[in-house]
Amino acid sequence: MTSNNDTLFARAQLTTPGGVNSPVRAFRSVGGTPRFISRAEGPYFWDADDRRYIDYIGSWGPAIVGHAHPEVVAAVQQAAARGLSFGAPTEGEVLMAEEICKLVPSIEQVRLVSSGTEAAMSALRLARGATGRDTIVKFEGCYHGHADSLLVKAGSGLLTFGNPTSAGVPEDFAKHTLVLDYNDPQQLEEVFARMGDKIACVMVEPIAGNMNLMRATPEFLQTMRTVCSRHGAVMVFDEVMSGFRVALGGAQSLYGIAPDMTVLGKVIGGGLPVAAFGGPAHLMKHLAPLGGVYQAGTLSGNPVAVAAGMTTLKLIQAPGFYEKLGAQTLKLTTGLAAAAKAAGVTFCADAVGGMFGMYFAPDVPVTYETMMACDKTRFNRFFHAMLDAGVYLAPSAFEAGFVSAQHDDAVIEATLAAARGAFAA
Ligand SMILES: *Cc1c(COP(=O)(O)O)cnc(C)c1O
């Protein structure tokens, strides 16, 4: 019997490039046919063949309270009934801005946008506009959405400017982006000593989730804070993934380091398109209509999306929410490591809040290079064995995983039972 997933994927490829609207969904890295999802509830989703999976991507982070949470769905339905979009301000946007500023104290003012890409791109423009400088610093392995200046990888050798990672990004853009090594404070200091007065901003994922999960070392972020302050560069934490995911106050609350600007997305939309960037008023005042840095959006602060986001932000403030989420995630990763050990598979795992990493490597990687050395072939085998057993992991060895508040003990135990078989496969 042919699978509806196969049929849909064949049809999709006729009218959509690669059959998907975002590349990692295409299963290119792991091989096989992508699952077309028909519905989701709590920790589960179902594909086009009505097969149920325990979901560990949670829409790549947003589904932190579980899929189709009744309160979120009700808020969306009520907002939708009042009208979908007005192109004029609403009370919901005021409440959401107040909530973000309360939860992330380094943010005094915030602007809402519709995607993490847009938020990171706008934060970058603001940093350049506010400092009057063009050069930006990012780190190999961090992802900040697909704005031209950010789709840049390291050139050959230290202190060379970046090369585009995508066709269509002019060299002229890439040459303003300096790509350094994650977790290398010394290199950062050297670069700032050499050209600190030309650097508009340093953008970083303070807990990286786009090269699998990788924690920044405290020294790395502390050095970044010091050199940015010393040279008047804007320190930007891209917390699109880590925000409201690793802790209520994001990675910055765990490290106790306040960036100048923060980029948010994923969880703050609760599954609908909301993202944001914010920081102190003296920086944010450079934005139009107050200042000369232009940024706008027809659907920015959309009332239906804001309703989903606000309800999610309310739910994650329930007493003990992060303690429980962190405990469940840790149960998963320690269980996975034990299962791998029993099967004699070289494997380790890490978890921060509701986010986890799995590594087919002896130790948790702290550099991009060691991350890339993880056994990708072994991951792919594990991925497919888990998928066959009804557990949906990120379809790439270099993506993080996500647990929701609905992943209870029974769900984790079912996952570990599947893993015991998958590690042996
Ligand atoms: C997902 C992500 C983005 C991009 O967000 P989109 O909403 O997909 O555009 C940016 N930065 C980080 C750290 C992300 O994880």
Side-chain angles (χ1 to χ4, degrees):
M1 200 188 83
T2 56
S3 152
N4 292 321
N5 296 301
D6 290 324
T7 309
L8 282 171
F9 193 43
R11 276 176 57 196
Q13 288 174 85
L14 299 178
T15 49
T16 302
V20 291
N21 284 308
S22 198
V24 75
R25 296 178 196 169
F27 275 32
R28 283 291 174 100
S29 172
V30 291
T33 305
R35 302 304 189 262
F36 282 68
I37 307 308
S38 55
R39 67 199 160 94
E41 195 185 319
Y44 303 112
F45 59 37
W46 285 260
D47 72 6
D49 293 329
D50 215 27
R51 263 204 86 202
R52 190 185 81 175
Y53 301 87
I54 299 173
D55 173 25
Y56 285 104
I57 61 167
S59 183
W60 300 97
I64 194 166
V65 297
H67 288 291
H69 190 290
E71 282 185 49
V72 178
V73 172
V76 166
Q77 287 170 335
Q78 285 158 18
R82 291 190 295 267
L84 299 180
S85 176
F86 316 121
T90 59
E91 183 185 21
E93 293 163 85
V94 180
L95 297 173
M96 181 130 198
E98 288 170 353
E99 198 69 8
I100 293 169
C101 294
K102 180 190 91 183
L103 294 174
V104 186
S106 70
I107 300 180
E108 250 170 48
Q109 292 196 343
V110 62
R111 177 144 299 170
L112 301 183
V113 295
S114 301
S115 76
T117 292
E118 199 186 348
M121 177 187 81
S122 306
L124 203 64
R125 185 178 305 138
L126 177 54
R128 283 172 160 161
T131 58
R133 303 169 181 178
D134 289 341
T135 302
I136 61 158
V137 170
K138 74 180 285 284
F139 301 93
E140 192 84 321
C142 287
Y143 177 67
H144 306 292
H146 59 89
D148 283 336
S149 299
L150 294 164
L151 281 185
V152 176
K153 63 173 184 290
S156 49
L158 179 65
L159 292 193
T160 58
F161 282 88
N163 297 321
T165 46
S166 163
V169 175
E171 298 279 355
D172 282 347
F173 287 13
K175 79 179 188 201
H176 296 293
T177 304
L178 197 48
V179 185
L180 304 182
D181 293 326
Y182 198 76
N183 278 340
D184 187 343
Q186 206 184 331
Q187 189 189 42
L188 193 59
E189 271 184 344
E190 281 166 28
V191 164
F192 266 88
R194 195 144 146 178
M195 51 184 304
D197 61 339
K198 296 196 171 55
I199 297 172
C201 71
V202 178
M203 189 176 278
V204 69
E205 287 183 75
I207 291 176
N210 289 285
M211 48 172 157
N212 206 329
L213 168 65
M214 191 189 294
R215 299 170 191 249
T217 63
E219 303 74 50
F220 177 55
L221 296 181
Q222 198 55 64
T223 301
M224 197 180 299
R225 181 62 280 172
T226 305
V227 294
C228 283
S229 297
R230 187 185 298 149
H231 295 272
V234 180
M235 183 184 187
V236 187
F237 274 7
D238 180 350
E239 298 226 45
V240 169
M241 193 175 268
S242 57
F244 314 110
R245 170 52 71 176
V246 298
L248 184 59
Q252 54 196 276
S253 72
L254 295 179
Y255 286 87
I257 293 175
D260 300 308
M261 276 213 284
T262 301
V263 182
L264 296 166
K266 297 194 167 105
V267 170
I268 54 165
L272 285 181
V274 183
F277 61 104
H282 71 84
L283 271 177
M284 298 302 283
K285 72 163 197 259
H286 290 279
L287 276 182
L290 296 179
V293 178
Y294 194 71
Q295 184 277 328
T298 301
L299 294 177
S300 290
N302 173 272
V304 181
V306 162
M310 275 301 279
T311 310
T312 302
L313 291 186
K314 190 191 94 192
L315 290 167
I316 61 178
Q317 292 177 68
F321 182 92
Y322 283 91
E323 287 77 2
K324 165 108 188 298
L325 184 69
Q328 293 307 97
T329 310
L330 204 59
K331 254 179 230 167
L332 173 71
T333 51
T334 48
L336 287 173
K341 192 167 180 213
V345 176
T346 303
F347 174 92
C348 59
D350 194 13
V352 196
M355 190 170 163
F356 65 94
M358 299 183 298
Y359 321 91
F360 285 85
D363 303 298
V364 176
V366 287
T367 66
Y368 179 73
E369 217 182 358
T370 48
M371 186 66 84
M372 291 304 120
C374 288
D375 190 342
K376 182 173 174 291
T377 312
R378 192 67 191 79
F379 169 83
N380 288 354
R381 214 159 86 216
F382 181 71
F383 169 84
H384 278 291
M386 291 295 271
L387 194 65
D388 290 345
V391 179
Y392 192 101
L393 301 169
S396 160
F398 303 113
E399 299 287 352
F402 303 94
V403 170
S404 84
Q406 306 298 323
H407 287 69
D408 60 16
D409 285 346
V411 170
I412 301 290
E413 197 34 65
T415 306
L416 295 178
R420 285 188 275 274
F423 279 121

